[in-house]
Amino acid sequence: MSFNTVNPEDTQQPQSEEENSLELEFLKEIKVLIENNLAQVHKQSSFKDETIDRLQKLVYSYEKGFIPSIKEPLLKDLILFKDSFNKFRTMFSESSETLLREIDFLNDEIEDIFYTHDVDIIQVEGDDYDRELQIVRKKIPTDNQALHRKIVEVLKDGYKSGEKILRKQEVAVYIINDQTSQS
């Protein structure tokens, strides 16, 4: 039994020039279709990426503005409560030791809430009035020019969250007497 091996090259008939030209034309059309499809996919992908970027920026700016817009009024209310609490604390400063410990515990709780929400008491160096951080609530007349616009006492603490001032420090300052300044 003998097998005849057939060489595939022997069975293939040469293509005519017309067939070659049709095949080349067909390949060119396929290439153009693929390039067009790739360009369209790239364009859609770019549009999708731009849309995602826009939406991410929108969500970020919304969150950035929305959270503080809710948080800030609550913190301001808590600051007012702290003022009332400080008055209460002063009224009972000579009370029983147990009551004073409980008052101090509540004060620590309020301070912890402030710390958690990045709220700090405004600290001003020296005794010069700083209109950026302080507001005058009480004026004390003086004849001494060296005391003019010096802080007598802090009436209420000021608070800030990050760089934003939630409430300016309320102070009493010395002011030159009107009669003295006119002479």
Side-chain angles (χ1 to χ4, degrees), residues 81-92:
F81 174 76
K82 176 90 163 93
D83 292 339
S84 299
F85 181 77
N86 286 340
K87 286 179 188 174
F88 173 81
R89 190 174 172 196
T90 303
M91 286 177 14
F92 289 97

Side-chain angles (χ1 to χ4, degrees), residues 76-90 110 114 155-159 167 170:
K76 287 182 177 182
D77 286 344
L78 187 59
I79 288 168
L80 292 175
F81 174 76
K82 176 90 163 93
D83 292 339
S84 299
F85 181 77
N86 286 340
K87 286 179 188 174
F88 173 81
R89 190 174 172 196
T90 303
I110 293 171
F114 284 160
L155 303 173
K156 289 184 180 178
D157 287 328
Y159 295 91
R167 181 177 76 187
E170 297 182 12

Side-chain angles (χ1 to χ4, degrees), residues 100-131:
L100 288 177
R101 276 196 311 269
E102 291 302 314
I103 289 173
D104 286 340
F105 172 75
L106 290 174
N107 185 59
D108 291 343
E109 290 292 314
I110 293 171
E111 296 294 328
D112 285 345
I113 292 170
F114 284 160
Y115 177 79
T116 301
H117 293 282
D118 191 32
V119 174
D120 297 312
I121 294 175
I122 292 175
Q123 303 292 332
V124 178
E125 297 294 323
D127 60 353
D128 290 326
Y129 170 67
D130 179 353
R131 76 175 328 148

Side-chain angles (χ1 to χ4, degrees), residues 27 43 54 71 136 143 149 153 173:
L27 289 174
K43 185 178 177 182
R54 265 195 330 260
K71 187 175 161 182
V136 176
D143 294 329
R149 295 176 54 96
E153 72 175 303
V173 296

Side-chain angles (χ1 to χ4, degrees), residues 122-139 146-156 168-175:
I122 292 175
Q123 303 292 332
V124 178
E125 297 294 323
D127 60 353
D128 290 326
Y129 170 67
D130 179 353
R131 76 175 328 148
E132 297 296 319
L133 301 174
Q134 299 167 322
I135 187 165
V136 176
R137 291 292 184 210
K138 188 175 182 183
K139 297 177 182 178
L147 292 178
H148 183 64
R149 295 176 54 96
K150 298 287 184 186
I151 297 170
V152 177
E153 72 175 303
V154 174
L155 303 173
K156 289 184 180 178
K168 290 183 176 186
Q169 188 180 56
E170 297 182 12
V171 295
V173 296
Y174 287 115
I175 299 294

